[in-house]
């Protein structure tokens, strides 16, 4: 049984390049960090919407693997296209590094452990157990917390399935799509909270609607983020623009 894993780019797991421990300690708390956090948010929301569309249409690819690969392929096209808007990098992509899988949830036993995906000497993917504190040591705070929130949802779903004797559903597109929608939404909420807080500190004036219809925090638009990235926390200039 393959592990249920996040899909944040052209891989089938959380696509985040691990940072060194000193970089992680910085916490992605600078105004200049806003664009990379926002690009990650756009990727997460793209994937949530793709899986949600399958759920709403009740029309799925032929297998879980095919469904995950389709989502990854579509995200890859979007990343090379207009997904990032004004936050597109000079290379035309907002990605942060390799598309290799990073973190996931092991469905092979009832512990539903958090795992890290790595390449062995032959280039094949293997997994190894990982603890939340290890994730936090490699990723800056908001990145680590959204990964842990996303996989925490998968872990809870996995344990509930074992408790109810319904592990066969791990292989169904219906279950995986629905669970991925929910996991992405949990991670998105974490990212939006951090982006909004950091944007306020960088001079964003906020929005008349603090919450979106889905309950997540309203954040600046990509154009506002592009402007805020050059701000400092000491700047008091407020942006009077519409918010996303």
């Amino acid at each position: 049984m393959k592990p249920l894993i996040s899909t944040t780019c052209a891989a089938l797991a959380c696509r985040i390049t691990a940072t060194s421990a000193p970089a992680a300690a910085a916490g992605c708390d600078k105004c200049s960090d806003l664009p990379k956090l926002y690009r990650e948010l756009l990727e997460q929301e793209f994937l949530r919407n793709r899986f949600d569309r399958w759920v709403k249409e009740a029309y799925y690819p032929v297998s879980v693997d095919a469904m995950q690969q389709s989502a990854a392929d579509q995200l890859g096209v979007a990343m090379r296209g207009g997904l990032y808007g004004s936050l597109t990098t000079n290379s035309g992509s907002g990605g942060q590094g390799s598309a290799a899988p990073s973190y996931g949830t092991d469905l092979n036993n009832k512990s539903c452990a958090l795992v890290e995906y790595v390449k062995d000497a032959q280039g094949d993917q293997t997994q190894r157990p990982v603890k939340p504190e290890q994730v936090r040591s490699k990723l800056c705070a908001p990145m680590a917390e959204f990964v842990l929130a996303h996989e925490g949802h998968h872990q809870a779903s996995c344990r509930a399935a074992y408790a109810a004797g319904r592990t066969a559903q791990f292989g169904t597109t219906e279950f995986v799509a629905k669970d991925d929608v929910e996991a992405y939404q949990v991670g998105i909420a974490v990212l939006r909270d951090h982006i909004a807080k950091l944007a306020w500190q960088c001079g964003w004036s906020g929005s008349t609607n603090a919450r979106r219809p889905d309950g997540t925090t309203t954040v600046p638009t990509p154009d506002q983020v592009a402007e805020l990235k050059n701000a400092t926390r000491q700047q008091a200039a407020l942006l009077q623009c519409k918010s996303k």
Side-chain angles (χ1 to χ4, degrees):
M1 185 185 305
K2 293 183 68 176
L4 183 64
I5 50 183
S6 318
T7 320
T8 58
C9 84
L12 304 182
C14 260
R15 184 217 45 80
I16 299 180
T17 301
T19 59
S20 64
C28 290
D29 58 356
K30 298 180 177 62
C31 300
S32 58
D33 292 320
L34 279 169
K36 70 179 177 182
L37 294 174
Y38 206 98
R39 287 191 291 265
E40 189 67 54
L41 173 64
L42 292 172
E43 294 172 17
Q44 294 289 303
E45 292 186 333
F46 179 95
L47 289 164
R48 177 204 58 193
N49 294 344
R50 175 61 273 194
F51 282 95
D52 192 43
R53 179 178 171 184
W54 279 314
V55 171
K56 289 178 177 176
E57 291 177 348
Y59 189 81
Y60 302 91
V62 295
S63 68
V64 171
D65 285 347
M67 182 172 66
Q68 291 183 324
Q69 190 60 55
S70 176
D73 290 344
Q74 290 178 50
L75 176 60
V77 171
M79 289 169 69
R80 294 187 294 273
L83 178 63
Y84 305 112
S86 58
L87 299 178
T88 300
T89 62
N90 292 335
S91 64
S93 168
Q96 300 177 54
S98 170
S102 292
Y103 301 103
T105 295
D106 186 358
L107 303 184
N108 294 305
N109 62 74
K110 64 182 180 180
S111 68
C112 303
L114 180 68
V115 294
E116 180 178 21
Y117 294 92
V118 296
K119 296 288 187 179
D120 61 20
Q122 289 71 43
D124 297 322
Q125 179 178 280
T126 61
Q127 70 179 48
R128 60 191 179 196
V130 65
K131 295 181 179 180
E133 52 267 32
Q134 292 174 300
V135 176
R136 293 187 177 104
S137 73
K138 294 181 178 181
L139 305 177
C140 67
M143 294 296 196
E145 294 312 316
F146 103 73
V147 167
L148 294 174
H150 182 120
E151 294 305 331
H153 176 85
H154 285 321
Q155 288 180 290
S157 296
C158 173
R159 290 165 183 150
Y162 270 100
R166 295 197 302 266
T167 56
Q169 66 188 357
F170 294 158
T172 68
T173 53
E174 293 86 351
F175 171 80
V176 172
K178 180 177 181 295
D179 202 56
D180 262 339
V181 170
E182 294 169 352
Y184 283 122
Q185 186 67 11
V186 172
I188 284 166
V190 170
L191 278 174
R192 280 183 163 269
D193 283 348
H194 184 87
I195 290 170
K197 180 180 179 181
L198 179 57
W200 269 101
Q201 295 172 339
C202 295
W204 178 50
S205 61
S207 168
T208 55
N209 295 315
R211 294 281 170 179
R212 289 160 52 87
D214 64 1
T216 57
T217 306
T218 299
V219 297
T221 65
D223 287 346
Q224 289 175 322
V225 167
E227 184 172 350
L228 288 166
K229 72 177 181 180
N230 296 318
T232 66
R233 291 188 176 185
Q234 287 70 41
Q235 290 177 317
L238 302 181
L239 302 178
Q240 302 297 331
C241 303
K242 292 183 179 179
S243 300
K244 182 178 177 184

